[in-house]
């Protein structure tokens, strides 16, 4: 390194940017995995089975515009037990 003047050169900057992205990606991934592992964000309802799941699917269909408000409220009432005779 006879003529090294303290400049990193092109590859030094490339490696610095790559390591920066990898570092912050690892930090963000760790935070997300920690949040999922501790159950942060779950509101105590199991939305993968039962009525909670059905209500979630119904809300998604309403949000996409597949059903109108009248049909949404009628089906939601049935799901929550209000439609029984």
């Amino acid at each position: 390194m006879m003529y090294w003047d303290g400049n990193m050169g092109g590859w030094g900057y490339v490696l610095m940017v790559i390591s920066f992205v990898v570092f912050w990606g690892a930090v963000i991934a760790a935070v997300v995995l920690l949040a999922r592992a501790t159950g942060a964000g779950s509101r105590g309802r199991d939305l993968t089975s039962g009525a909670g799941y059905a209500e979630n699917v119904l809300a998604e269909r309403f949000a996409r515009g597949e059903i109108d408000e009248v049909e949404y409220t009628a089906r939601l009432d049935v799901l929550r037990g209000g439609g029984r005779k």
Side-chain angles (χ1 to χ4, degrees), residues 40-61:
S42 65
R43 298 188 178 137
R45 289 179 61 177
D46 183 16
L47 297 180
T48 59
S49 64
Y53 178 72
E55 288 180 15
N56 193 28
V57 171
L58 186 62
E60 289 175 3
R61 289 186 62 203

PDB file of all heavy atoms in Angstrom, residues 40-61:
ATOM      1  N   ALA A  40     -47.226  -9.465  21.046  1.00  0.00           N
ATOM      2  CA  ALA A  40     -47.592  -8.052  20.973  1.00  0.00           C
ATOM      3  C   ALA A  40     -48.453  -7.826  19.735  1.00  0.00           C
ATOM      4  O   ALA A  40     -48.165  -8.327  18.666  1.00  0.00           O
ATOM      5  CB  ALA A  40     -46.343  -7.185  20.902  1.00  0.00           C
ATOM      6  N   GLY A  41     -49.502  -7.089  19.904  1.00  0.00           N
ATOM      7  CA  GLY A  41     -50.392  -6.799  18.797  1.00  0.00           C
ATOM      8  C   GLY A  41     -51.619  -7.683  18.759  1.00  0.00           C
ATOM      9  O   GLY A  41     -52.604  -7.354  18.123  1.00  0.00           O
ATOM     10  N   SER A  42     -51.600  -8.813  19.439  1.00  0.00           N
ATOM     11  CA  SER A  42     -52.800  -9.637  19.463  1.00  0.00           C
ATOM     12  C   SER A  42     -53.740  -9.064  20.513  1.00  0.00           C
ATOM     13  O   SER A  42     -53.323  -8.650  21.570  1.00  0.00           O
ATOM     14  CB  SER A  42     -52.464 -11.086  19.791  1.00  0.00           C
ATOM     15  OG  SER A  42     -51.954 -11.188  21.095  1.00  0.00           O
ATOM     16  N   ARG A  43     -54.977  -9.059  20.201  1.00  0.00           N
ATOM     17  CA  ARG A  43     -55.959  -8.428  21.078  1.00  0.00           C
ATOM     18  C   ARG A  43     -56.769  -9.449  21.862  1.00  0.00           C
ATOM     19  O   ARG A  43     -57.886  -9.186  22.270  1.00  0.00           O
ATOM     20  CB  ARG A  43     -56.875  -7.552  20.251  1.00  0.00           C
ATOM     21  CG  ARG A  43     -56.091  -6.447  19.588  1.00  0.00           C
ATOM     22  CD  ARG A  43     -56.975  -5.463  18.915  1.00  0.00           C
ATOM     23  NE  ARG A  43     -56.138  -4.412  18.338  1.00  0.00           N
ATOM     24  CZ  ARG A  43     -56.318  -3.911  17.165  1.00  0.00           C
ATOM     25  NH1 ARG A  43     -57.286  -4.328  16.412  1.00  0.00           N
ATOM     26  NH2 ARG A  43     -55.528  -2.971  16.719  1.00  0.00           N
ATOM     27  N   GLY A  44     -56.220 -10.613  22.041  1.00  0.00           N
ATOM     28  CA  GLY A  44     -56.899 -11.623  22.834  1.00  0.00           C
ATOM     29  C   GLY A  44     -57.924 -12.434  22.069  1.00  0.00           C
ATOM     30  O   GLY A  44     -58.527 -13.336  22.612  1.00  0.00           O
ATOM     31  N   ARG A  45     -58.151 -12.128  20.800  1.00  0.00           N
ATOM     32  CA  ARG A  45     -59.094 -12.889  19.988  1.00  0.00           C
ATOM     33  C   ARG A  45     -58.324 -13.755  19.018  1.00  0.00           C
ATOM     34  O   ARG A  45     -57.385 -13.306  18.381  1.00  0.00           O
ATOM     35  CB  ARG A  45     -60.009 -11.952  19.199  1.00  0.00           C
ATOM     36  CG  ARG A  45     -60.992 -11.234  20.075  1.00  0.00           C
ATOM     37  CD  ARG A  45     -61.849 -10.310  19.273  1.00  0.00           C
ATOM     38  NE  ARG A  45     -62.598 -11.058  18.287  1.00  0.00           N
ATOM     39  CZ  ARG A  45     -63.483 -10.512  17.478  1.00  0.00           C
ATOM     40  NH1 ARG A  45     -63.733  -9.240  17.534  1.00  0.00           N
ATOM     41  NH2 ARG A  45     -64.118 -11.257  16.594  1.00  0.00           N
ATOM     42  N   ASP A  46     -58.740 -14.990  18.924  1.00  0.00           N
ATOM     43  CA  ASP A  46     -58.114 -15.896  17.979  1.00  0.00           C
ATOM     44  C   ASP A  46     -58.798 -15.715  16.634  1.00  0.00           C
ATOM     45  O   ASP A  46     -59.942 -16.128  16.444  1.00  0.00           O
ATOM     46  CB  ASP A  46     -58.255 -17.341  18.467  1.00  0.00           C
ATOM     47  CG  ASP A  46     -57.562 -18.324  17.555  1.00  0.00           C
ATOM     48  OD1 ASP A  46     -56.733 -17.879  16.727  1.00  0.00           O
ATOM     49  OD2 ASP A  46     -57.834 -19.526  17.670  1.00  0.00           O
ATOM     50  N   LEU A  47     -58.103 -15.084  15.701  1.00  0.00           N
ATOM     51  CA  LEU A  47     -58.699 -14.798  14.399  1.00  0.00           C
ATOM     52  C   LEU A  47     -58.399 -15.875  13.373  1.00  0.00           C
ATOM     53  O   LEU A  47     -58.593 -15.684  12.190  1.00  0.00           O
ATOM     54  CB  LEU A  47     -58.209 -13.438  13.899  1.00  0.00           C
ATOM     55  CG  LEU A  47     -58.615 -12.250  14.760  1.00  0.00           C
ATOM     56  CD1 LEU A  47     -58.064 -10.967  14.160  1.00  0.00           C
ATOM     57  CD2 LEU A  47     -60.121 -12.147  14.913  1.00  0.00           C
ATOM     58  N   THR A  48     -57.936 -17.026  13.817  1.00  0.00           N
ATOM     59  CA  THR A  48     -57.652 -18.102  12.875  1.00  0.00           C
ATOM     60  C   THR A  48     -58.680 -19.219  12.955  1.00  0.00           C
ATOM     61  O   THR A  48     -58.599 -20.179  12.210  1.00  0.00           O
ATOM     62  CB  THR A  48     -56.258 -18.683  13.135  1.00  0.00           C
ATOM     63  OG1 THR A  48     -56.205 -19.173  14.475  1.00  0.00           O
ATOM     64  CG2 THR A  48     -55.180 -17.630  12.927  1.00  0.00           C
ATOM     65  N   SER A  49     -59.605 -19.131  13.886  1.00  0.00           N
ATOM     66  CA  SER A  49     -60.623 -20.165  13.989  1.00  0.00           C
ATOM     67  C   SER A  49     -61.884 -19.580  14.595  1.00  0.00           C
ATOM     68  O   SER A  49     -61.862 -18.567  15.264  1.00  0.00           O
ATOM     69  CB  SER A  49     -60.122 -21.328  14.859  1.00  0.00           C
ATOM     70  OG  SER A  49     -59.901 -20.872  16.172  1.00  0.00           O
ATOM     71  N   GLY A  50     -63.001 -20.242  14.360  1.00  0.00           N
ATOM     72  CA  GLY A  50     -64.264 -19.853  14.974  1.00  0.00           C
ATOM     73  C   GLY A  50     -64.850 -18.580  14.402  1.00  0.00           C
ATOM     74  O   GLY A  50     -64.588 -18.178  13.281  1.00  0.00           O
ATOM     75  N   ALA A  51     -65.671 -17.924  15.228  1.00  0.00           N
ATOM     76  CA  ALA A  51     -66.393 -16.735  14.794  1.00  0.00           C
ATOM     77  C   ALA A  51     -65.451 -15.576  14.501  1.00  0.00           C
ATOM     78  O   ALA A  51     -65.718 -14.770  13.614  1.00  0.00           O
ATOM     79  CB  ALA A  51     -67.415 -16.328  15.849  1.00  0.00           C
ATOM     80  N   GLY A  52     -64.345 -15.474  15.240  1.00  0.00           N
ATOM     81  CA  GLY A  52     -63.388 -14.398  14.990  1.00  0.00           C
ATOM     82  C   GLY A  52     -62.826 -14.468  13.589  1.00  0.00           C
ATOM     83  O   GLY A  52     -62.670 -13.451  12.914  1.00  0.00           O
ATOM     84  N   TYR A  53     -62.513 -15.655  13.138  1.00  0.00           N
ATOM     85  CA  TYR A  53     -61.998 -15.836  11.779  1.00  0.00           C
ATOM     86  C   TYR A  53     -63.075 -15.490  10.749  1.00  0.00           C
ATOM     87  O   TYR A  53     -62.803 -14.807   9.764  1.00  0.00           O
ATOM     88  CB  TYR A  53     -61.517 -17.269  11.589  1.00  0.00           C
ATOM     89  CG  TYR A  53     -61.020 -17.552  10.194  1.00  0.00           C
ATOM     90  CD1 TYR A  53     -59.812 -17.029   9.763  1.00  0.00           C
ATOM     91  CD2 TYR A  53     -61.751 -18.317   9.314  1.00  0.00           C
ATOM     92  CE1 TYR A  53     -59.338 -17.263   8.492  1.00  0.00           C
ATOM     93  CE2 TYR A  53     -61.297 -18.557   8.031  1.00  0.00           C
ATOM     94  CZ  TYR A  53     -60.093 -18.038   7.624  1.00  0.00           C
ATOM     95  OH  TYR A  53     -59.640 -18.263   6.355  1.00  0.00           O
ATOM     96  N   ALA A  54     -64.294 -15.938  11.009  1.00  0.00           N
ATOM     97  CA  ALA A  54     -65.388 -15.663  10.067  1.00  0.00           C
ATOM     98  C   ALA A  54     -65.653 -14.164   9.981  1.00  0.00           C
ATOM     99  O   ALA A  54     -65.879 -13.632   8.890  1.00  0.00           O
ATOM    100  CB  ALA A  54     -66.642 -16.407  10.504  1.00  0.00           C
ATOM    101  N   GLU A  55     -65.607 -13.472  11.111  1.00  0.00           N
ATOM    102  CA  GLU A  55     -65.815 -12.022  11.096  1.00  0.00           C
ATOM    103  C   GLU A  55     -64.691 -11.327  10.346  1.00  0.00           C
ATOM    104  O   GLU A  55     -64.927 -10.351   9.624  1.00  0.00           O
ATOM    105  CB  GLU A  55     -65.906 -11.489  12.524  1.00  0.00           C
ATOM    106  CG  GLU A  55     -67.189 -11.859  13.223  1.00  0.00           C
ATOM    107  CD  GLU A  55     -67.253 -11.314  14.635  1.00  0.00           C
ATOM    108  OE1 GLU A  55     -66.448 -10.425  14.985  1.00  0.00           O
ATOM    109  OE2 GLU A  55     -68.114 -11.775  15.401  1.00  0.00           O
ATOM    110  N   ASN A  56     -63.480 -11.824  10.495  1.00  0.00           N
ATOM    111  CA  ASN A  56     -62.340 -11.244   9.797  1.00  0.00           C
ATOM    112  C   ASN A  56     -62.484 -11.410   8.282  1.00  0.00           C
ATOM    113  O   ASN A  56     -62.251 -10.467   7.519  1.00  0.00           O
ATOM    114  CB  ASN A  56     -61.041 -11.883  10.288  1.00  0.00           C
ATOM    115  CG  ASN A  56     -59.818 -11.135   9.852  1.00  0.00           C
ATOM    116  OD1 ASN A  56     -59.869  -9.934   9.649  1.00  0.00           O
ATOM    117  ND2 ASN A  56     -58.726 -11.840   9.713  1.00  0.00           N
ATOM    118  N   VAL A  57     -62.874 -12.601   7.852  1.00  0.00           N
ATOM    119  CA  VAL A  57     -63.085 -12.852   6.425  1.00  0.00           C
ATOM    120  C   VAL A  57     -64.210 -11.975   5.889  1.00  0.00           C
ATOM    121  O   VAL A  57     -64.110 -11.388   4.804  1.00  0.00           O
ATOM    122  CB  VAL A  57     -63.382 -14.346   6.161  1.00  0.00           C
ATOM    123  CG1 VAL A  57     -63.810 -14.574   4.720  1.00  0.00           C
ATOM    124  CG2 VAL A  57     -62.178 -15.195   6.499  1.00  0.00           C
ATOM    125  N   LEU A  58     -65.275 -11.843   6.670  1.00  0.00           N
ATOM    126  CA  LEU A  58     -66.400 -11.004   6.261  1.00  0.00           C
ATOM    127  C   LEU A  58     -65.973  -9.547   6.126  1.00  0.00           C
ATOM    128  O   LEU A  58     -66.333  -8.869   5.155  1.00  0.00           O
ATOM    129  CB  LEU A  58     -67.538 -11.143   7.282  1.00  0.00           C
ATOM    130  CG  LEU A  58     -68.845 -10.444   6.946  1.00  0.00           C
ATOM    131  CD1 LEU A  58     -69.455 -11.009   5.676  1.00  0.00           C
ATOM    132  CD2 LEU A  58     -69.813 -10.584   8.110  1.00  0.00           C
ATOM    133  N   ALA A  59     -65.188  -9.070   7.086  1.00  0.00           N
ATOM    134  CA  ALA A  59     -64.705  -7.687   7.023  1.00  0.00           C
ATOM    135  C   ALA A  59     -63.799  -7.471   5.814  1.00  0.00           C
ATOM    136  O   ALA A  59     -63.857  -6.415   5.166  1.00  0.00           O
ATOM    137  CB  ALA A  59     -63.963  -7.342   8.311  1.00  0.00           C
ATOM    138  N   GLU A  60     -62.967  -8.457   5.484  1.00  0.00           N
ATOM    139  CA  GLU A  60     -62.109  -8.347   4.309  1.00  0.00           C
ATOM    140  C   GLU A  60     -62.930  -8.290   3.029  1.00  0.00           C
ATOM    141  O   GLU A  60     -62.630  -7.512   2.126  1.00  0.00           O
ATOM    142  CB  GLU A  60     -61.128  -9.513   4.255  1.00  0.00           C
ATOM    143  CG  GLU A  60     -60.046  -9.452   5.301  1.00  0.00           C
ATOM    144  CD  GLU A  60     -59.159 -10.682   5.296  1.00  0.00           C
ATOM    145  OE1 GLU A  60     -59.352 -11.560   4.436  1.00  0.00           O
ATOM    146  OE2 GLU A  60     -58.280 -10.760   6.171  1.00  0.00           O
ATOM    147  N   ARG A  61     -63.958  -9.115   2.943  1.00  0.00           N
ATOM    148  CA  ARG A  61     -64.827  -9.098   1.752  1.00  0.00           C
ATOM    149  C   ARG A  61     -65.532  -7.755   1.615  1.00  0.00           C
ATOM    150  O   ARG A  61     -65.675  -7.230   0.509  1.00  0.00           O
ATOM    151  CB  ARG A  61     -65.849 -10.230   1.822  1.00  0.00           C
ATOM    152  CG  ARG A  61     -65.223 -11.601   1.631  1.00  0.00           C
ATOM    153  CD  ARG A  61     -66.274 -12.684   1.548  1.00  0.00           C
ATOM    154  NE  ARG A  61     -67.134 -12.463   0.396  1.00  0.00           N
ATOM    155  CZ  ARG A  61     -68.377 -12.942   0.290  1.00  0.00           C
ATOM    156  NH1 ARG A  61     -68.881 -13.680   1.254  1.00  0.00           N
ATOM    157  NH2 ARG A  61     -69.098 -12.715  -0.782  1.00  0.00           N
TER     158      ARG A  61
END
